[in-house]
Amino acid sequence: MRPCSREMQGMNSLLNPSSQIPLQDLQNQQIQNSHFDPNLSSNEDFLEQMLSSCSWADPKSPWDLNPPTNLPFPTNNSSSSAKHRDLFNETPSSNSDSNNVGFRNSFDESVILASKLRQHQISCGNGAAVSDAAKMMLPQQLLMAVARGGLSLNDDIDGSLSQGGDGSIQGLFNGFGAGSMNGTDGASNQSMQHFNHPQARLAAVLQGGAMQSPNLGAHGAPATTAVMNQPQASGSNGGAPAQPRQRVRARRGQATDPHSIAERLRRERIAERMKALQELVPNANKTDKASMLDEIIDYVKFLQLQVKVLSMSRLGGAAAVAPLVADMSSEAGGDCIQANDNGGSLARTTNGNQTASTNDNSLTVTEHQVAKMMEEDMGTAMQYLQGKGLCLMPISLATAISTATCHNRTSGIINSHAHLHQSNGEGPTSPSMSVLTVQSMTMGNGGGDGVAKDAASVSKP
Amino acid sequence: MASKHTIATRHAQGIRARFASRFLRSLLRVRRSSNRFGGSQSNDEGIGKRIRTDRIKIAAYAAMARAVGPRRTWSRALLFKLRNRARIHGVSRKRCLVSEKKRVTRNKVVAISREPSRADTLRKLVPGGDSMDTCVLLEETAHYIKCLATQVTVMQSIADRLLL
């Protein structure tokens, strides 16, 4: 991909008098790229040089000495393409023609037109710049030699193509325009198998060069990419095909290069896996792959931490749980609520544990708060409790629990969302449980009674 | 007996039931063993609980891995790791470290010193993630997350039931 685009770039620069890419580089590229047969007579070299030079000439490129050559493609194409179509023995080509036809046409055309140009140039001496460009394009002969391999000069066509004067140069462009029109069929993969690698590449290059007109960019790209078996297709990621200048790019999803196909497959597989993961992981509104991965990593860590905490809760050791609580409250606070329901409540419970254990005052305050809220709205009260990691419980049940757990292992985390009980959750032994129970009874009789009565009716949120 | 159990649980409401049954049994085993050794938990405040915590955690992961079966790369890797750990615990601690390192480096994808990308972090988290390419890694992660979530829910419900 890279060498070819560079070579085209180099060719383009050659057309500009102020070439930036040194000839040396071009030569090197050519030598690298091509394994073509350089056995050409000088005449033919020249011809093909012209051909190649013309093929990459952007219509707007500053080929100063021949302003007529910088004709916009679209205006000429329709007329010339019709004319050129008639000339060839293949079926009249339209945009939907197979590239095979198109390429044959273009090859014939190009050779013919090149010969025309040469004749014109020799006769008129007009193409001073052309000759210069031709000389500069000496290395390009290699490419042309390949094209020649599959072509047959058709002198008959010469006459019909004669336009004389500047028209021949114009004709070259037109021919390429026609060729480009012909070769716009995207499904040309099979056709390109007829050609050798180098031929195909050259054809692609020619087509690509011919299609540098932005108007034809969209059409040209698929044909060129179809042709390009080499990694010349600059990835199906290639943005707009109408990119400036001689960079032939593959349109999205059109690359025929096996490497890019495999890569595209791989990328698609990864994308669908990411989508599947998105559904599993909460907070999956991230569109960016990187942030999605971060989210996934965090979620896996969170789940593993939950398993750890749950295994600790079997023991119910406050000491073991307490160090986790800080982590849970800080890290998992936001996640818990959206994440696994149980997990969330667990986190909140542990959070509530710590707060309750550290400060009894806060507990009384909480109770008062809850009592007040329960007078207004039960739902918000329950939510408030749940947020704190507490919940309501009939006193009888609370006493039952306290007696049950006093000789059992220390009651660890009592999950708030599953049961109606009010507990500080933490509390290593029963005394604290009974304390809480007492507290709840003295909480505020109005609220307390309400609690006792309503506890049964309040359902699990 | 083991085969009967597997057959019975193979189709029983998927992975959740399988995991639950295995986990409960292993939990009972851990309880019994801890009771045998330490009496009550308040015996040894710090270390005893930690050991028991680890045992429970390991039991949970092992139960999950067995419930999934050897179909998944991560479950295979997890079982392998647990088995080795159990075996090596019996031998000696020092040998354990050495062999673990060896094992890890053998399976690891070519170690290039670069900033750990997100995929590498994920590889560390998912068991057996070292020897997976990105595509497979994502797939395994998805399944792993699903199983972890069911594990958490089951453990949670067990914890609830146990405490009441």
Side-chain angles (χ1 to χ4, degrees):
Chain A
M1 168 175 99
R2 292 288 164 232
C4 297
S5 57
R6 270 196 66 198
E7 110 204 352
M8 286 198 288
Q9 196 178 1
M11 286 179 187
N12 184 24
S13 66
L14 278 181
L15 297 176
N16 305 341
S18 61
S19 152
Q20 282 145 16
I21 296 182
L23 187 61
Q24 202 65 23
D25 278 2
L26 259 179
Q27 278 178 337
N28 293 340
Q29 287 176 27
Q30 286 308 310
I31 291 168
Q32 291 168 19
N33 290 339
S34 59
H35 35 279
F36 306 140
D37 181 16
N39 299 337
L40 285 181
S41 68
S42 57
N43 283 347
E44 289 167 354
D45 298 344
F46 187 73
L47 187 150
E48 273 133 20
Q49 287 160 27
M50 292 330 304
L51 205 55
S52 46
S53 71
C54 294
S55 66
W56 289 290
D58 190 275
K60 300 189 179 71
S61 73
W63 209 4
D64 299 326
L65 295 180
N66 290 312
T69 62
N70 294 343
L71 291 169
F73 268 69
T75 60
N76 289 326
N77 276 343
S78 48
S79 56
S80 56
S81 60
K83 193 195 309 181
H84 291 311
R85 278 185 209 130
D86 298 339
L87 301 171
F88 299 105
N89 44 4
E90 271 104 359
T91 57
S93 56
S94 62
N95 282 358
S96 55
D97 266 2
S98 71
N99 248 5
N100 199 356
V101 175
F103 278 117
R104 293 247 177 77
N105 291 347
S106 67
F107 275 128
D108 292 342
E109 283 176 332
S110 49
V111 173
I112 289 147
L113 294 170
S115 66
K116 286 307 299 172
L117 176 62
R118 190 172 135 242
Q119 290 173 13
H120 154 74
Q121 174 196 336
I122 290 170
S123 59
C124 306
N126 192 8
V130 173
S131 60
D132 289 340
K135 282 172 197 156
M136 288 200 291
M137 305 248 327
L138 257 166
Q140 313 313 319
Q141 62 182 334
L142 302 174
L143 271 182
M144 294 312 302
V146 177
R148 290 287 312 228
L151 304 178
S152 59
L153 271 175
N154 195 346
D155 288 332
D156 299 338
I157 304 178
D158 262 355
S160 51
L161 285 188
S162 62
Q163 298 174 28
D166 294 336
S168 66
I169 298 175
Q170 180 177 346
L172 248 178
F173 284 101
N174 295 341
F176 281 108
S180 69
M181 299 274 281
N182 293 336
T184 51
D185 186 19
S188 56
N189 290 348
Q190 317 92 349
S191 64
M192 285 329 299
Q193 289 158 14
H194 300 296
F195 298 93
N196 304 338
H197 247 308
Q199 266 187 359
R201 192 149 57 107
L202 175 60
V205 158
L206 289 176
Q207 286 271 328
M211 288 173 229
Q212 286 322 301
S213 154
N215 301 322
L216 290 178
H219 293 298
T224 50
T225 63
V227 173
M228 274 174 269
N229 302 331
Q230 311 252 334
Q232 197 173 8
S234 61
S236 47
N237 290 341
Q243 277 224 353
R245 303 314 103 114
Q246 282 52 347
R247 293 202 63 186
V248 195
R249 276 178 168 236
R251 202 166 63 173
R252 230 189 168 93
Q254 289 278 334
T256 61
D257 172 40
H259 293 298
S260 44
I261 285 181
E263 241 190 72
R264 191 161 31 104
L265 268 175
R266 174 179 171 268
R267 254 178 279 135
E268 282 170 3
R269 256 190 289 158
I270 288 184
E272 61 179 278
R273 304 262 160 88
M274 289 288 292
K275 253 190 240 149
L277 270 172
Q278 250 185 345
E279 292 158 22
L280 282 177
V281 175
N283 276 340
N285 50 359
K286 314 273 189 304
T287 50
D288 182 22
K289 236 197 286 184
S291 46
M292 197 59 223
L293 267 178
D294 284 335
E295 201 64 43
I296 290 167
I297 288 172
D298 287 339
Y299 189 57
V300 170
K301 280 196 210 152
F302 166 69
L303 284 175
Q304 287 176 342
L305 186 60
Q306 262 195 307
V307 170
K308 197 171 186 188
V309 165
L310 275 171
S311 64
M312 277 179 189
S313 78
R314 300 286 184 273
L315 305 176
V321 174
L324 281 175
V325 170
D327 292 342
M328 292 292 266
S329 58
S330 61
E331 168 253 338
D335 290 341
C336 293
I337 297 173
Q338 292 123 11
N340 193 354
D341 221 11
N342 294 335
S345 57
L346 171 66
R348 276 178 266 134
T349 324
T350 56
N351 199 358
N353 289 350
Q354 186 172 35
T355 51
S357 64
T358 51
N359 199 352
D360 270 343
N361 283 341
S362 67
L363 193 57
T364 358
V365 168
T366 312
E367 285 173 349
H368 289 302
Q369 193 86 24
V370 170
K372 255 183 278 169
M373 287 168 73
M374 269 198 283
E375 288 167 11
E376 328 156 358
D377 178 21
M378 211 53 198
T380 52
M382 297 304 292
Q383 280 178 13
Y384 177 76
L385 272 179
Q386 208 175 24
K388 289 210 150 265
L390 312 171
C391 53
L392 292 185
M393 164 191 266
I395 294 171
S396 51
L397 191 53
T399 45
I401 289 176
S402 65
T403 50
T405 56
C406 71
H407 55 264
N408 202 351
R409 49 189 174 73
T410 62
S411 72
I413 298 151
I414 298 180
N415 195 297
S416 60
H417 86 289
H419 312 282
L420 309 172
H421 61 268
Q422 185 168 23
S423 69
N424 57 2
E426 190 264 339
T429 55
S430 51
S432 69
M433 291 283 290
S434 52
V435 163
L436 179 61
T437 320
V438 169
Q439 271 182 342
S440 67
M441 281 169 38
T442 62
M443 191 166 79
N445 278 334
D449 291 343
V451 170
K453 275 185 220 142
D454 292 344
S457 61
V458 172
S459 55
K460 176 166 106 176
Chain B
M1 179 194 76
S3 58
K4 244 196 284 174
H5 176 72
T6 41
I7 291 170
T9 53
R10 174 74 50 160
H11 303 290
Q13 295 168 26
I15 198 160
R16 184 189 283 232
R18 291 203 300 267
F19 167 70
S21 60
R22 282 187 202 267
F23 179 58
L24 282 169
R25 291 195 306 156
S26 51
L27 198 58
L28 281 174
R29 244 180 282 145
V30 172
R31 261 193 177 188
R32 254 182 257 131
S33 69
S34 69
N35 282 347
R36 225 182 301 141
F37 283 124
S40 78
Q41 293 71 11
S42 52
N43 193 5
D44 192 352
E45 188 66 29
I47 299 192
K49 280 186 188 166
R50 207 174 305 149
I51 291 179
R52 197 167 161 222
T53 307
D54 287 341
R55 288 229 184 90
I56 292 179
K57 186 176 73 161
I58 289 171
Y61 280 120
M64 175 51 80
R66 272 194 212 99
V68 168
R71 284 175 267 145
R72 285 279 167 180
T73 315
W74 67 265
S75 67
R76 280 196 299 264
L78 191 53
L79 280 172
F80 182 70
K81 189 167 47 160
L82 291 174
R83 232 172 263 161
N84 284 348
R85 195 178 293 180
R87 190 170 14 110
I88 285 160
H89 267 320
V91 180
S92 86
R93 287 240 136 198
K94 211 172 180 191
R95 290 254 293 263
C96 148
L97 291 172
V98 170
S99 51
E100 282 230 33
K101 268 185 211 148
K102 262 202 215 151
R103 222 183 315 125
V104 165
T105 48
R106 226 182 292 140
N107 292 338
K108 214 171 266 199
V109 174
V110 176
I112 309 170
S113 65
R114 55 169 192 262
E115 181 207 320
S117 77
R118 294 180 175 88
D120 293 339
T121 332
L122 198 54
R123 282 207 179 89
K124 272 189 285 178
L125 287 176
V126 175
D130 284 341
S131 51
M132 294 189 228
D133 61 344
T134 312
C135 192
V136 179
L137 179 67
L138 289 180
E139 192 182 338
E140 294 286 322
T141 308
H143 194 259
Y144 185 57
I145 286 180
K146 192 174 70 133
C147 294
L148 269 183
T150 54
Q151 189 175 351
V152 164
T153 51
V154 169
M155 287 173 81
Q156 187 95 64
S157 48
I158 290 177
D160 298 341
R161 303 250 165 77
L162 274 182
L163 285 176
L164 270 187

